[in-house]
């Protein structure tokens, strides 16, 4: 079999890269060891966030929001998006100062971000009982996708229209290198020749890169969320809320409330140390972590402590500087990577895929992502990588992360 490019992994990042490459006239084949969207992407909270810690991430986030809202126009498939807007809320002086900094730098990068008026949280959020002393930012650009599977389905439908071939239940077992160039892959079922191979293998990115002798600095770290049973206290039309001092995010979901967050001592997981059959279903979940988080906001958001209808989790791919890795793998012409999600891979996938496909195909896109190239890290030991990845995770909404 041959293709113009092989994408390894049918998560949000791989599917978006394949779709954008197909729209640029390439014939991609996507190889997925399980089912499309069954790993991290199928478990995401579906939140898109316009306020980001640097200008490049802001441009990627806002371009992704635009691509999600206009998906039917450019991709030819339906995608249901909830235009909820979001509140960023701080209850401590330190976090108030942090939000002020975020607001002024984000406004400078073009984001529509407004300081909340007194009483606005009480008026606009059915599930939040504030004291009135919170500092709040209103981010009207923010959106969410209710069920993460709908983004995957939309990419698959659009991909079929573009002639993308998807091979599911088929693992890539080797990356073929000939004359120091990557020329294709071996899978559990066949060989595929292609001048370009994209490693979009999520938590398995490192081991897939190693198949070709390449190094990509990502450390998988667990992330969890819960959805409560339907509760009258939650208006499904309410915005997203992020309580930054508690590192918790909330949104309406299935008639109840979704709550997820970033613990201070998260669990790193190395799939290389696990059985070959390891999948996201094997990531150990701990509801106690989420309960400790919802306790921090129990006074303001009692609904978050309600009975749990769903508890799910998976792995983020963290990088030492908290930014994506997307670009050519050093010293291995033909091998590219789309990973290092740092918790935003679902929402950024449409813009990352667009920019990366443009780079691969030689079409300068709207966003130059060369700063995200994997070469920026050089050699990093496993220990240093995990330490840095855990630090980035635990400072997701934190002033120290600025
Ligand atoms: C609970 C939770 C909530 C989240 N919430 C959000 C959110 O609100 N917003 C946001 O932006 N992000 C969120 N994320 C992060 C987001 O889910 C990830 O950033 C994103 O899904 C990463 O996409 P991916 O394509 O890199 O990975 P994945 O979806 O994991 O896809 C990688 C694919 O590669 C496949 N693969 C691996 N090895 C091979 C191989 N050898 N051969 C073939 N295929 C292979 C895997 O089976 C997998 O399907 C959340 C994550 C979790 C766990």
């Amino acid at each position: 079999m041959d293709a113009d490019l092989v994408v390894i992994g049918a998560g949000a990042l791989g599917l978006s890269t394949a779709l954008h490459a197909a729209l640029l006239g390439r014939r991609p084949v996507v190889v997925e060891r399980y089912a499309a969207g069954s790993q991290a992407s199928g478990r995401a909270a579906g939140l898109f966030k316009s306020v980001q810690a640097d200008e490049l991430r802001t441009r990627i986030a806002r371009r992704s929001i635009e691509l999600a809202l206009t998906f039917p126009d450019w991709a030819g498939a339906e995608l249901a998006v909830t235009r909820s807007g979001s509140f960023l809320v701080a209850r401590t002086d330190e976090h108030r100062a942090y939000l002020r900094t975020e607001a002024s730098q984000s406004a400078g990068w073009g984001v529509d971000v407004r300081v909340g008026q007194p009483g606005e949280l009480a008026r606009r959020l059915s599930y939040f009982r504030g004291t009135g002393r919170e500092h709040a930012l209103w981010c009207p650009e923010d959106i969410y996708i209710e069920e993460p599977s709908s983004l995957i389905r939309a990419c698959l439908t659009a991909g079929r229209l573009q002639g993308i071939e998807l091979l599911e239940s088929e693992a890539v077992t080797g990356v073929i290198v000939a004359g120091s160039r990557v020329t294709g892959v071996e899978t559990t079922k066949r060989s595929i020749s292609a001048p370009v191979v994209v490693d979009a293998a999520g938590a398995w990115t490192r081991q897939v890169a190693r198949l070709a002798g390449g190094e990509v600095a990502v450390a998988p770290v667990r992330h969890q969320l819960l959805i409560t049973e339907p509760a009258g206290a939650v208006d499904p039309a309410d915005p997203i809320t992020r309580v930054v001092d508690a590192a918790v995010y909330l949104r309406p979901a299935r008639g109840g409330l979704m709550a997820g967050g970033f613990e201070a001592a998260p669990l790193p997981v190395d799939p290389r140390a696990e059985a070959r059959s390891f999948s996201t279903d094997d990531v150990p979940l701990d509801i106690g972590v989420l309960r400790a988080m919802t306790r921090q906001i129990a006074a303001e958001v009692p609904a978050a402590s309600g009975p749990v209808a769903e508890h799910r989790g998976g792995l983020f791919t963290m990088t030492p500087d908290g930014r994506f890795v997307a670009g050519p793998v050093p010293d291995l012409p033909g091998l590219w990577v789309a990973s290092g999600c740092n918790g935003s891979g679902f929402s950024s996938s449409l813009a990352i895929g667009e920019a990366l496909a443009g780079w691969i195909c030689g079409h300068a896109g709207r966003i130059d992502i060369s700063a995200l190239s994997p070469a920026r890290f050089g050699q990093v030991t496993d220990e240093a990588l995990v330490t840095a990845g855990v630090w980035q995770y635990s400072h997701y909404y934190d002033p120290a992360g600025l």
Side-chain angles (χ1 to χ4, degrees):
M1 184 176 199
D2 65 12
D4 291 336
L5 78 162
V6 171
V7 176
I8 306 171
L13 285 168
L15 289 174
S16 169
T17 305
L19 176 57
H20 284 287
L23 288 166
L24 291 172
R26 301 302 194 274
R27 280 178 311 124
V29 169
V30 180
V31 188
E32 167 56 51
R33 121 190 225 215
Y34 299 116
S38 62
Q39 304 302 303
S41 300
R43 300 163 201 241
L47 306 175
F48 290 58
K49 182 171 182 278
S50 54
V51 169
Q52 296 284 336
D54 63 49
E55 185 169 9
L56 178 56
R57 276 184 277 185
T58 305
R59 294 188 68 204
I60 291 168
R62 296 183 76 218
R63 175 66 182 153
S64 270
I65 291 172
E66 185 183 353
L67 288 170
L69 290 171
T70 57
F71 197 88
D73 306 331
W74 60 270
E78 291 306 314
L79 176 63
V81 176
T82 306
R83 302 180 84 138
S84 58
S86 82
F87 283 108
L88 282 163
V89 176
R91 302 172 301 174
T92 67
D93 286 344
E94 190 190 15
H95 288 86
R96 285 185 189 93
Y98 164 65
L99 286 192
R100 282 191 198 98
T101 306
E102 283 223 300
S104 74
Q105 62 188 24
S106 290
W109 298 326
V111 181
D112 187 354
V113 51
R114 307 168 193 180
V115 176
Q117 298 307 308
E120 195 171 349
L121 289 178
R123 228 178 22 258
R124 306 264 312 271
L125 283 173
S126 62
Y127 59 79
F128 194 94
R129 298 184 198 154
T131 58
R133 288 192 301 279
E134 302 84 6
H135 180 70
L137 298 179
W138 170 238
C139 310
E141 296 177 16
D142 289 1
I143 59 172
Y144 66 85
I145 290 180
E146 172 74 27
E147 300 296 339
S149 55
S150 38
L151 178 62
I152 299 301
R153 227 176 9 255
C155 286
L156 291 176
T157 305
R160 265 194 299 276
L161 295 173
Q162 298 300 326
I164 293 176
E165 188 148 1
L166 170 66
L167 307 172
E168 289 177 293
S169 305
E170 187 165 334
V172 167
T173 51
V175 175
I176 307 165
V177 182
S180 81
R181 257 205 83 81
V182 166
T183 58
V185 299
E186 300 286 355
T187 78
T188 41
K189 296 188 182 158
R190 71 197 92 205
S191 298
I192 310 174
S193 309
V196 173
V197 173
V198 181
D199 175 357
W204 297 266
T205 300
R206 284 193 95 192
Q207 68 219 61
V208 165
R210 281 304 304 162
L211 292 174
E215 282 298 336
V216 177
V218 296
V221 173
R222 181 183 69 186
H223 182 73
Q224 312 177 80
L225 61 79
L226 62 78
I227 300 175
T228 68
E229 295 282 0
V234 183
D235 182 341
D238 273 353
I240 302 159
T241 304
R242 297 177 172 92
V243 184
V244 293
D245 51 274
V248 171
Y249 57 79
L250 305 152
R251 73 159 168 92
R254 302 177 191 164
L257 195 63
M258 176 186 285
F262 299 84
E263 70 255 50
L267 180 72
V269 175
D270 187 347
R272 295 172 305 173
E274 304 291 336
R276 193 181 277 265
S277 62
F278 173 81
S279 82
T280 307
D281 293 335
D282 301 313
V283 173
L285 298 185
D286 180 358
I287 192 77
V289 168
L290 292 168
R291 284 303 187 206
M293 281 178 190
T294 57
R295 266 199 302 279
Q296 290 183 66
I297 52 161
E300 293 89 349
V301 193
S305 304
V308 174
E310 182 172 320
H311 172 203
R312 68 183 189 233
L315 297 171
F316 285 180
T317 46
M318 305 304 296
T319 60
D321 62 4
R323 302 167 105 204
F324 286 94
V325 270
V329 175
D331 306 322
L332 278 167
L335 185 63
W336 297 71
V337 65
S339 186
C341 78
N342 289 280
S344 305
F346 182 84
S347 55
S348 300
S349 58
L350 295 175
I352 291 278
E354 178 186 50
L356 186 64
W359 192 356
I360 292 170
C361 300
H363 288 251
R366 314 168 170 241
I367 304 182
D368 176 0
I369 57 165
S370 52
L372 303 180
S373 172
R376 72 188 187 276
F377 295 120
Q379 292 286 333
V380 192
T381 64
D382 283 359
E383 200 188 348
L385 185 53
V386 170
T387 304
V390 162
W391 190 92
Q392 291 293 345
Y393 182 98
S394 59
H395 292 86
Y396 194 83
Y397 291 142
D398 194 279
L402 263 186

